[in-house]
Amino acid sequence: MDSNGRVHLIVGAAQTSATPGQRKAPRKSRSKGLRCKTGCITCRKRHKKCDEQNPRCGSCVLSDRVCVWPSPASQGIAESKPLTRPNPPIDQSIVSQRNAVPQQETPIHHELAFSDQDQDNLNSQINAISPANTVTSDQFLPDVASSRWLNLLAADAVHANKGFSRGASRATSPTATSRAALPETPRSRGVPLPSAIRKAVEDESARLNGIEARSWQLDQDIVLKDFEIPIFKNFVDHASLWLDISDPARFFSVYTARLAIRNIGLMKAILALSAQHLSRQNIAGDANMGLDRNLAIEYYYETLHYVQTALQFQSYARSEYILATAIVISTYEMLDESDSGWQRHLKGVFWIQRSQNVNGASGGIRQAIWWAWLRQDIWAAFRERRRCLSIWKPVKDYPELNSYELADQGTYLLSQAVNYCAEPGDLTGLALQRRIDAADELLARLDRWKSFLNTEFTPLPTPRAQPGLIVQPIWIHPPKFGVALQTYHFARILIMLHRPAMPGFKSYQKIQKTLSEAVAVICGIATELTDEGCQIVSAQCLYGAGLCVQELQQRNEIISLINLCEARTGWPMLTLRENLYKEWQKIDSDEDGVAGILP
């Protein structure tokens, strides 16, 4: 045994058939030089020798695999250093790390272990991956997928944030860590949790009840500070509504909140999202709260610290906790309205979901996470003029679905409309006819979906329309089904705007009628849609409606409705309005009013 603890096999004379007068050359150990800790992750997973050639090693080139490299500074997640100053071990971080919040701003610099060369390698690997060619890729091993997602976030954090200041927050007393002050949920008020959710919580706890899981999973509830309790409660009561938009079980506000009180990473992600939401509502000026954006940023970085450490355990990389943490962080970045790389990070969330075979019919929290992710990816794909990342197709037909599942199918059809818009439009001959046929087939699918809607999707009575009113109110209850109808008409708008136009006045009239009807329904539903969880999707549909209007009065009305969405949900929509104004300028400056419609 050597100084490193390795045992070497010594072959003696009694173990060889050589004659006494002959000297046999010593046999080289099979293990010497074959095992290294500096090769690519792909070769290490396959137990292959790696020649360590960047950006793709010889083994990956020959086998046509994606060559995944760890950060040089960290040499893999299992041996990685913290993203910044060392943190306590995960299993000792039960109590919140803040005993008191400083009253003056203290600059905090985050030194993330990610270099420019890492970013170049990562970008080339990301661009080489598409939903169509990754069905059997090593990219979707759970630990590899999660590590690459984390590297995306860490790389952008390095380049976008040289440091930030943590502003003053309300000081807490030494007794502020009261365990009994968690926000009220159905169980804490004495009302039993739904049986499906209770069983899911118990099953997940039993599955993770192993030695490895105890290394990253707490065995008792996290103790929140007094000032953190309203932040957490804001997620349960408000922020989670956007994620639970079409989920009757409300997995994010009930189940995910319960997961978070036993997992530091998920709790930090939830606090980051909720703190950002509160800071955007001018609560920073409240002397009783003292929140600012720096608190949300700090929670965000602490989430990255936790995930980087926990990913050394495969049970974490395969758990519901990493799925929930990833989608909460993605929501944080989406609503941040800053250059956070959110659209690129969505691909990382997609990798994690694929690694666990998560889709729109997985059931439970996994299914809820997938639909929340798809809604985000639809908007990102529309803005980037690309196809949606998902390749999943529904299995059940419409007659087999309940009302909430039908509403989700409306979202899926919108993703198909976005995919249609991403295809090239300058076609001739047979290709042109195929594109027309594809548009007609999509419109037929949308109409078939609408034919299966029950009475819950029909409008309820509203006051008689006032003369001269630009928008006639349309009241749909439950409001989530109203959003489903908005997405239906948004999809029709996208298809009609990108379907090659047939010559003739009748064809023009048909297009205008379809677009006018879609604008009227989207705007009419928006006037009566007060549910907080529906506002973000409704504002996106209003953006689509705005692409079809040219009258100044109609445009002003759409901007007013977007402002209402902003007021109801608390999230700023300045970028949405600015982009819409730019599109109107392009349309007005174009002679035929067609070019420039796409964002």
Side-chain angles (χ1 to χ4, degrees):
M1 180 180 293
D2 62 14
S3 60
N4 293 323
R6 291 189 295 266
V7 177
H8 298 278
L9 180 63
I10 302 177
V11 181
Q15 296 172 295
T16 178
S17 59
T19 61
Q22 294 177 334
R23 168 176 276 184
K24 185 174 181 180
R27 178 177 175 274
K28 185 178 180 180
S29 171
R30 290 182 180 272
S31 63
K32 186 177 181 180
L34 294 180
R35 294 184 180 180
C36 65
K37 297 182 179 180
T38 56
C40 73
I41 295 176
T42 305
C43 288
R44 288 155 64 181
K45 288 292 179 183
R46 300 176 61 218
H47 304 288
K48 301 291 185 181
K49 183 177 180 180
C50 182
D51 60 11
E52 303 180 29
Q53 293 296 318
N54 272 301
R56 295 186 71 191
C57 70
S59 178
C60 290
V61 171
L62 290 175
S63 59
D64 194 24
R65 296 175 185 270
V66 177
C67 193
V68 182
W69 286 93
S71 168
S74 61
Q75 287 300 322
I77 294 298
E79 305 167 14
S80 61
K81 297 180 180 179
L83 294 173
T84 182
R85 58 189 183 281
N87 289 331
I90 297 177
D91 56 351
Q92 297 178 12
S93 301
I94 297 171
V95 182
S96 175
Q97 296 176 4
R98 298 179 186 80
N99 293 324
V101 179
Q103 293 299 312
Q104 60 182 5
E105 295 189 357
T106 304
I108 302 176
H109 299 283
H110 293 266
E111 299 176 357
L112 304 182
F114 209 92
S115 67
D116 291 336
Q117 183 180 1
D118 295 328
Q119 182 66 68
D120 295 338
N121 292 338
L122 194 58
N123 286 339
S124 63
Q125 293 163 6
I126 291 170
N127 295 333
I129 297 172
S130 66
N133 63 7
T134 51
V135 177
T136 59
S137 174
D138 287 341
Q139 178 67 31
F140 298 113
L141 293 172
D143 48 352
V144 175
S146 302
S147 299
R148 286 173 61 84
W149 168 74
L150 176 65
N151 284 346
L152 277 175
L153 271 64
D156 286 340
V158 166
H159 289 84
N161 190 71
K162 302 302 182 183
F164 64 88
S165 299
R166 186 174 68 185
S169 297
R170 185 178 65 174
T172 57
S173 66
T175 61
T177 57
S178 174
R179 173 183 292 278
L182 286 174
E184 287 189 334
T185 64
R187 178 172 290 183
S188 64
R189 291 194 298 265
V191 180
L193 289 170
S195 58
I197 292 181
R198 183 173 64 253
K199 185 178 185 304
V201 172
E202 293 171 352
D203 291 345
E204 179 69 1
S205 298
R207 189 178 72 83
L208 297 173
N209 189 22
I211 296 177
E212 182 181 283
R214 293 193 205 98
S215 301
W216 55 268
Q217 181 68 354
L218 303 180
D219 57 3
Q220 54 184 302
D221 290 354
I222 294 173
V223 180
L224 295 175
K225 292 294 186 179
D226 278 351
F227 77 92
E228 292 177 319
I229 294 170
I231 301 176
F232 183 57
K233 192 173 190 301
N234 180 70
F235 173 83
V236 175
D237 294 341
H238 300 285
S240 62
L241 300 179
W242 319 318
L243 299 167
D244 283 330
I245 182 173
S246 60
D247 182 10
R250 296 186 63 184
F251 271 101
F252 282 97
S253 62
V254 180
Y255 181 68
T256 303
R258 286 289 171 180
L259 289 180
I261 62 176
R262 289 292 181 95
N263 184 263
I264 295 173
L266 181 55
M267 176 61 76
K268 296 293 186 182
I270 285 175
L271 293 177
L273 173 61
S274 185
Q276 184 187 145
H277 178 230
L278 291 172
S279 70
R280 294 303 184 98
Q281 298 181 74
N282 296 323
I283 296 182
D286 190 338
N288 295 324
M289 288 293 296
L291 287 179
D292 61 22
R293 285 195 63 200
N294 287 329
L295 182 61
I297 296 173
E298 183 174 354
Y299 283 131
Y300 174 82
Y301 276 98
E302 289 176 350
T303 303
L304 300 190
H305 298 326
Y306 174 89
V307 172
Q308 185 190 42
T309 306
L311 277 178
Q312 64 183 294
F313 304 106
Q314 286 200 8
S315 58
Y316 178 74
R318 300 172 184 271
S319 71
E320 294 176 344
Y321 294 92
I322 183 63
L323 289 169
T325 301
I327 194 63
V328 171
I329 285 297
S330 180
T331 307
Y332 167 93
E333 294 178 329
M334 172 186 175
L335 301 174
D336 187 36
E337 284 202 329
S338 65
D339 187 17
S340 62
W342 160 71
Q343 293 172 334
R344 290 195 323 117
H345 300 169
L346 275 174
K347 186 172 289 189
V349 181
F350 167 71
W351 295 338
I352 298 175
Q353 292 178 353
R354 285 291 304 278
S355 73
Q356 298 194 34
N357 197 27
V358 174
N359 56 53
S362 297
I365 184 61
R366 284 175 163 82
Q367 177 174 318
I369 288 171
W370 189 87
W371 285 107
W373 167 82
L374 181 65
R375 285 189 288 270
Q376 294 185 21
D377 189 49
I378 286 173
W379 185 246
F382 169 67
R383 299 295 299 154
E384 293 181 325
R385 308 186 201 182
R386 63 164 172 84
R387 294 177 62 85
C388 296
L389 296 172
S390 174
I391 59 174
W392 176 78
K393 295 182 179 180
V395 178
K396 292 183 178 180
D397 197 9
Y398 299 144
E400 306 174 64
L401 306 179
N402 60 37
S403 299
Y404 288 93
E405 291 171 333
L406 278 171
D408 283 336
Q409 292 303 309
T411 301
Y412 173 79
L413 290 174
L414 176 59
S415 73
Q416 301 306 294
V418 171
N419 289 346
Y420 176 81
C421 298
E423 297 172 358
D426 297 332
L427 304 173
T428 58
L430 188 59
L432 178 63
Q433 186 58 48
R434 281 198 297 263
R435 183 159 178 81
I436 294 174
D437 293 342
D440 293 341
E441 190 268 340
L442 264 177
L443 292 172
R445 290 171 62 186
L446 285 165
D447 291 339
R448 183 173 182 270
W449 172 83
K450 188 178 181 183
S451 69
F452 282 93
L453 302 183
N454 54 35
T455 56
E456 293 178 289
F457 292 82
T458 58
L460 295 172
T462 55
R464 184 173 299 177
Q466 300 292 328
L469 193 66
I470 300 176
V471 177
Q472 304 299 323
I474 300 175
W475 179 29
I476 306 289
H477 190 79
K480 296 174 177 61
F481 299 158
V483 172
L485 287 174
Q486 286 183 311
T487 58
Y488 161 81
H489 285 284
F490 186 16
R492 289 176 63 86
I493 287 174
L494 294 180
I495 296 170
M496 295 305 294
L497 289 179
H498 294 82
R499 181 185 184 275
M502 301 298 291
F505 185 68
K506 288 185 178 181
S507 176
Y508 171 79
Q509 282 185 315
K510 182 179 179 181
I511 295 174
Q512 291 302 313
K513 180 181 178 181
T514 301
L515 296 179
S516 298
E517 178 186 352
V519 170
V521 174
I522 290 174
C523 295
I525 293 175
T527 60
E528 296 290 322
L529 193 65
T530 59
D531 183 82
E532 182 180 350
C534 299
Q535 300 306 311
I536 294 175
V537 177
S538 181
Q540 293 170 353
C541 294
L542 286 168
Y543 181 96
L547 300 177
C548 306
V549 299
Q550 298 184 4
E551 297 294 332
L552 180 61
Q553 200 173 17
Q554 288 181 306
R555 291 178 175 179
N556 290 337
E557 184 67 21
I558 287 177
I559 293 297
S560 298
L561 291 173
I562 293 177
N563 290 339
L564 278 177
C565 293
E566 182 180 51
R568 290 164 180 165
T569 193
W571 284 109
M573 298 184 180
L574 176 62
T575 302
L576 194 72
R577 292 190 296 268
E578 289 179 345
N579 290 338
L580 193 53
Y581 280 125
K582 291 178 182 178
E583 296 308 316
W584 286 337
Q585 291 175 357
K586 293 178 185 178
I587 295 172
D588 294 342
S589 63
D590 191 80
E591 294 181 356
D592 54 15
V594 175
I597 286 181
L598 266 181

